[in-house]
Amino acid sequence: MRHDSHPPVLPRQDGKTIIVTGASAGLGYFASEQLAAAGATVVMAARDEARGHAAMEAVRSTVPGADVRFQQLDLASLDSVRQAAEELAGLGRIDALLANAGVIGSEDLQFTVDGFELQFGINHLGHFALIARLMPALTHSRSRVVHVGSISHRWVRPDFRRAALPAKYSSYRSYALSKLAVMSFGFELAHRLEAAGSKVSSVVAHPGYARKYFTPDRPGLQLSQPASRWQRRLYGLIAQGKDAGAWPLVQATAGDGVRNGDYWGPDGRFQLTGSPAVVAPKRNAYERNAASRLIDLSEELTGVCLRL
């Protein structure tokens, strides 16, 4: 049986505008639904327009009166990121950005449009470029930026240049490195924002072990995955649905008492399942020299400078 978990008690978000990347499926969809239920205007950013509109309709059918909007964004293309950032900056107000979108690569090495390893390119570099380009708008709105990490960061060391342009490829290692990069950037950004006296905050969150086996479907969306009896019994001990996995992300995005530099995740054993809580990452995510080199590398590869 899965651990009991409970959604956060969110303050009302009426009048607030929140951007969620990767919002057409999985964690991003449920985060969008939960934020819309709290009254936020949710900008659902996704690569595929048809899937994005289907996700918006699903939110509206689940949350009557939901205010959701679509933004085309392909994080595998820096040109798409630039165009999306220009359009999003025109919103006038961005109260929070949940940088959720992510990909788990296949066994074969794949690349983004700009020639970077796919997972590192989408999970970190695309979001880095988006955040850096939106920083003036985020600063104006005193926004909260939430970076979505993973428990997989525990098993790799920072080797970010090779992650972007690998000579040897392991899908799992590349994914873990991309998520370590996300977390390292998030924590280092928090330090730099504080040092700069900025009112923007940078928070990291992770969903625990969220599986489709325990995820409910929504009208027009296929969000769950059939599971055998033994799969449900086995994964039921260590996993939760993506709807529950979205709760720590939503708490980090819109909850009260969230501080710059926090790390939110499930409060259960090994942070696999449970209710949202401030949890502890491994020390490798706090290595500031590695994080500083990562930001330099990210600016070099994307051509976008991070100015606070």
Side-chain angles (χ1 to χ4, degrees), residues 72-204:
Q72 200 282 329
L73 170 65
D74 182 359
L75 288 160
S77 165
L78 292 175
D79 186 59
S80 175
V81 171
R82 176 192 55 76
Q83 183 174 343
E86 291 175 356
E87 294 171 3
L88 290 168
L91 289 170
R93 175 173 180 168
I94 302 172
D95 293 278
L97 165 62
L98 174 52
N100 159 81
V103 62
I104 298 177
S106 67
E107 291 304 311
D108 298 321
L109 177 60
Q110 297 177 290
F111 295 95
T112 67
V113 171
D114 303 287
F116 310 122
E117 190 278 320
L118 187 69
Q119 297 170 105
F120 192 82
I122 290 177
N123 299 353
H124 170 63
L125 288 176
H127 278 128
F128 172 87
L130 180 67
I131 292 165
R133 288 190 179 279
L134 283 177
M135 191 55 67
L138 298 172
T139 301
H140 176 75
S141 299
R142 301 185 174 189
S143 302
R144 186 183 297 177
V145 180
V146 179
H147 316 255
V148 178
S150 165
I151 55 176
S152 66
H153 83 279
R154 302 169 181 175
W155 298 293
V156 289
R157 298 289 303 162
D159 189 3
F160 298 127
R161 186 172 290 275
R162 290 185 182 181
L165 304 163
K168 295 182 179 180
Y169 177 71
S170 158
S171 176
Y172 178 78
R173 184 173 184 276
S174 292
Y175 175 78
L177 273 171
S178 75
K179 286 300 187 176
L180 177 58
V182 168
M183 295 174 65
S184 297
F185 172 49
F187 291 130
E188 178 61 20
L189 181 60
H191 283 296
R192 295 189 181 193
L193 289 167
E194 183 176 0
S198 174
K199 298 300 183 182
V200 178
S201 59
S202 176
V203 180
V204 183

